[in-house]
């Protein structure tokens, strides 16, 4: 759908200059941009590409002198990624899932759908499920018994929301995402090998022929407003109380959140993170890709964990951590540098031994 | 469904005291419990919450003096998590998948279903598949050609069991789980970069323009009785012989078991574990979350691997391991402590050099 | 389907000897092989099993003296795994997905299907999608709006190809694989905790109450010819330009490729790898299982990364890397050995201190 430069600038709360009635259909990188595309050149380095492309208009940094480039109009933005977010929302053509209840969708008569809800082909909405206004349930999705989803949700194809899960407004779930699968919670009739290992601090264990008794998950999952979950990510139900995810959390693909975990507001987890059972995570916590957090621990507000960090113990608020086991970033880097210096240290000690003992081997 | 305290205690094999004809509808934590809920306070620390909640009955530890609390009845249990497992089974309301073959399910005329099998909406059961008595095939699940599933299975929504997979009794698979996808097995016509790297112990490699020829997976998967697989977990088929998983194994979400792997009985894998091709794992092996095990190795019985351990070589039976590369737990901890002591060691060596050589730099 | 030894040898480009008109129905390991199975004994060590099985024919190494074994015919192959690849293709019975458009499949009238395309039960093909000749769309799969898939594709049950994704010929996707989910790309209106952490090199951060604004993914995904993607693997769309995967890449189960990533030709990724946003990967790159690669970096051609390597910075072409952070294989092994030598080094330094300072504590 086309917009004028003026309309786009207004939507972004940004300044437009030049021929602001030019019509734009989509966005592109400067060198690839066609005459009806907005070239994205929010850094001076990117603006060089404008001469290679055919754009007549560009989005530039706040104090750019747009007349230096061969364009006819410009949108000038102070914080480029924020402007980019707004622009991407304007031009997103979406998946085209369609409106209304598809004839092949099944909505249980006991389910309650708000106004303007769409349910895609071969999707299933079970008994007593409640779906808020303007929500989109994608093709082949599954909404379980008595699950509640707020207004404005977008569930992509193949998402599975299991029984009794409760979700706030403006929820987005990517294909294959599962919310409310049973927790992985088992117990042995006798003391298990894991319990023995913990009690003996790692001595050998001999848990012959033990079998596992399952704890059923009765607690489901409670998710706040404005949460987004990635493709094939899984969120397990709590055992007695629900697993909880706060408002504004954004969790990437292939992440795992185990039973009884509680996550605060506005957390950002990159792909393939895993949070083990009963761990508590504060607000505004950022986890890089492939981070692991052990069970029954806690992470304070505003913690930032670098990619592939493995968290084995409590992390205080505001800390930046790295490594496995994850420690403060500077501690981690010091340890890493020290390892790199070791070959030289071995030489130095050998030289000392020779000087002091007249032989490298004596002590 | 409501039960009396006496009925619950009997089902758990536990002792009930007080007003044992009280009726209970579900379980809750002490502070949140309502008057018809059983408060779970299996440790003295938890019992403090009883005064904040409204429970009239509680499940307490074995030698608790229940009359110390404002409750009217108690169930006294020796091993709390085992009792909890029993209790959770009693009160699990399940997913409500319904009974019988849903009109939108497709069951190939050549498939054989036992008695009392249910097949959910838009599920598909292919030709020559065999499903045992009392099994539940969830909505939108897929059962492939000639797959065999034993009695009492519970396949949740969107589970995919591929062709010729054979599974024992009482199988549970969570949403999105895949059993019998093709193994990731490729070969190059000439020596590959990986083979070069192994042969040269890590020197540079130059595998220009090699393309990969696939090995098809002919072996499918064989799974024993009482196995549970997590949401979006994947189990690949063997190349010639089947990939094997023994009785009683419990594998969490987002795990990967590669082609030709053999896993013994009663293993417990936490989320996001990966077992590479042709590795053999014994009985009662416990892997923490995000553990990785390399290809063509073996892990003995009763091994316990801590979270995020990466196993690169054979592990003897009974060992408790940690780290990457995974080593005995105490070896790992010693190494870790040694790294933390390094800054002080560098200072000590510098002081020695100064004393011995009258200069920190000479050797 | 049965073949003669001569037919098999011809298909493999290999030499057949003995009774080459023997009929074979499938392949097996030597000790398990029945009389109409081809025993696979491509190494002398495996040939010992021939006497335990009932095979009348075997596939042996190039210069084997087949008459030494109790078999009547042999196929002699120079590069066993290549021969195995050919053999596995010959005997693969496949999933039996059937032909034609299943009556319960939905193909939008605006979609264009080539000749001999099959669409399985309860699969959905959206408007403006284009599917090449001889492609198989498995049961319950989803092909999004304006997605384009080349000829000869095999999409297994539950695969999801999202809107505007473009894929070359001979594409294989395993169950639950998702291509074209939105990228995990967010920005805060003010400077985020992650930006603070980077700017302050890891000092504490205080990003109170920040919420995340999403960047929509407009760029979709472009995939070359002969690509194979594993079960439950996810490939995210690019923000403006497409995420790109070159020809001949083979990506295992549960891998994640983030937005804007560019991958060259003939790369091989083992299971559970993750490539973070905007990273560029060359040709013929091999990643072991659970490898992680950070965002906005690059990996040169022919790099081999060992299992569980975590790549935090640019890797030059041809390098063999290991560890976290991933470094050259020998550097990694040196560091690891040095840590193991530390306890002895501590003792040596203590002895030196005693000798030099007459006390272990003075400096």
């Amino acid at each position: 759908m086309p917009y004028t430069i003026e309309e786009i600038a207004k939507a972004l709360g940004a300044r437009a200059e030049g021929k602001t009635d030019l019509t734009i259909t989509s966005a592109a990188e400067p060198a690839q941009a066609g005459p009806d595309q907005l070239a994205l050149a929010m850094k001076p380095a990117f603006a060089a590409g404008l001469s290679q492309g055919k754009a007549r208009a560009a989005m530039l940094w706040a104090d750019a002198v747009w007349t230096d480039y061969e364009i006819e109009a410009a949108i000038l933005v102070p914080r480029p990624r924020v402007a980019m977010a707004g622009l991407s929302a304007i031009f997103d053509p979406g998946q085209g899932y369609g409106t209304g209840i598809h004839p092949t969708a099944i909505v249980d008569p006991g389910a309650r759908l708000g106004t303007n809800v769409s349910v895609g082909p071969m999707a299933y909405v079970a008994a007593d499920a409640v779906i808020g206004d303007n929500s989109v349930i994608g093709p082949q999705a599954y909404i379980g018994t008595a699950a509640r989803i707020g207004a404005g949700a977008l569930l992509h194809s193949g998402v599975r929301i299991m029984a009794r899960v409760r979700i706030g407004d403006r929820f987005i779930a990517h294909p294959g995402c599962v919310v409310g699968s049973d927790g992985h919670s088992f117990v042995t009739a006798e003391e298990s090998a894991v319990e023995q290992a913990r009690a003996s601090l790692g001595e050998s264990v001999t848990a012959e022929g033990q079998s596992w008794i399952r704890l059923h998950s009765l607690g489901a999952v409670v998710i706040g407003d404005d949460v987004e979950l990635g493709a094939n990510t899984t969120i397990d139900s709590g055992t007695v109380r629900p697993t909880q995810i706060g408002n504004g959390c954004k969790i990437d693909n292939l992440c795992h959140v185990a039973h009884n975990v509680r996550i605060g507001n506005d957390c950002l987890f990159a792909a393939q993170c895993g949070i083990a059972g009963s761990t508590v995570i504060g607000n505004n916590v950022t986890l890089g890709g492939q981070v692991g957090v052990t069970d029954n621990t806690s992470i304070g507000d505003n913690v930032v964990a670098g990619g592939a960090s493995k968290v084995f113990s409590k992390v205080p608020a505001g800390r930046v951590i790295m490594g496995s086991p994850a420690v403060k970033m500077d501690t981690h880097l010091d340890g890493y540098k020290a390892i790199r210096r070791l070959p030289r240290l071995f030489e130095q000690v050998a030289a000392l031994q020779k000087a002091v003992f007249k032989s490298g081997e004596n002590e």
Side-chain angles (χ1 to χ4, degrees), chain A:
Chain A
M1 191 176 156
Y3 297 91
T4 65
I5 289 292
E6 190 177 351
E7 287 168 337
I8 296 167
K10 197 176 166 191
L12 300 180
R15 196 155 44 93
E17 298 193 354
K19 196 165 172 342
T20 59
D21 59 348
L22 267 181
T23 294
I24 295 295
T25 58
S26 62
E29 300 195 4
Q32 279 83 42
D36 56 355
Q37 290 188 299
L38 183 68
L40 303 174
M42 283 90 90
K43 285 183 187 175
F46 299 164
L50 284 170
S51 60
Q52 299 157 51
K54 294 179 179 150
R56 299 172 63 195
M59 192 154 81
L60 301 173
W61 61 102
D63 57 356
V65 182
W66 67 273
T67 49
D68 286 357
Y69 305 98
E70 287 180 35
I71 50 176
E72 301 167 40
I75 299 172
L76 303 166
V77 296
R79 199 161 152 76
R81 269 176 67 88
V82 176
M84 186 58 219
L87 193 75
S88 71
I90 291 168
F91 285 119
D92 187 354
Q95 292 291 331
Y97 285 143
T99 56
I101 314 294
H102 193 275
T104 61
I106 301 176
V107 178
D108 188 279
R112 282 188 290 134
L113 271 53
T115 58
N116 194 32
V117 167
S118 72
V119 183
M122 298 170 282
Y124 186 85
V125 181
D128 300 324
V130 179
I131 300 175
D133 297 347
N134 306 310
S135 289
V136 175
I137 308 301
Q140 301 152 326
Y142 176 78
I143 312 294
T145 304
R148 286 165 167 265
I149 298 172
L154 172 54
L155 276 66
H156 284 283
S157 175
V159 165
R160 307 188 191 279
I161 307 296
M162 306 305 285
R164 292 170 294 281
V165 166
R166 285 165 287 159
I167 299 174
D169 293 339
R170 295 171 299 280
F171 178 62
I172 298 177
H174 290 284
C177 172
V178 175
V179 182
S181 38
D182 285 357
H184 186 70
S185 192
F186 297 91
V187 61
T188 54
E190 308 302 324
E191 190 179 59
S192 74
V194 177
E195 290 169 296
Q196 282 181 37
R198 284 185 173 165
S200 71
L201 294 174
E203 290 306 305
S204 287
V205 292
T206 53
E208 299 293 332
Q210 291 187 328
S211 63
W212 299 99
I213 305 166
R214 83 192 301 267
L215 275 79
H216 291 241
S217 296
L218 310 179
V221 178
V222 172
I223 292 179
D225 294 331
D226 299 298
V227 168
E228 181 162 345
L229 301 179
N232 288 340
T233 276
T234 65
I235 315 289
D236 276 359
S237 288
T239 309
V240 176
R241 285 202 293 185
T243 302
Q244 291 172 254
I245 298 178
N247 297 321
C249 290
K250 313 296 183 183
I251 300 182
D252 199 356
N253 297 355
L254 294 167
C255 289
H256 167 70
V257 176
H259 57 281
N260 302 340
V261 165
R262 278 184 285 151
I263 299 174
N265 298 322
D266 295 318
C267 292
L268 190 77
F269 297 176
Q272 298 177 317
C273 284
I275 315 295
S278 300
T279 279
V280 178
I281 293 183
N283 299 316
N284 288 91
V285 170
T286 305
L287 305 182
Q290 301 187 336
V291 165
V293 184
T294 196
D295 61 293
N296 288 288
T297 195
S298 68
I299 294 187
D301 293 346
N302 299 315
V303 165
V304 177
S309 304
K310 307 298 176 185
V311 179
F312 290 98
S313 55
K314 189 173 169 166
V315 182
R319 189 158 284 186
V320 181
I321 57 173
M322 290 181 75
S324 176
V327 290
K328 282 180 75 169
M329 185 172 153
D330 49 3
T331 309
H332 174 75
L333 295 176
D334 286 351
Y336 180 68
K337 283 179 207 156
I339 293 168
R340 292 286 161 267
R341 281 175 61 190
L342 282 180
R344 180 153 168 76
L345 189 70
F346 286 117
E347 286 170 16
Q348 290 170 331
V349 171
L352 281 165
Q353 288 182 306
K354 200 171 173 186
V356 174
F357 301 119
K358 311 300 171 206
S359 152
E361 282 309 301
N362 287 359
E363 291 183 8

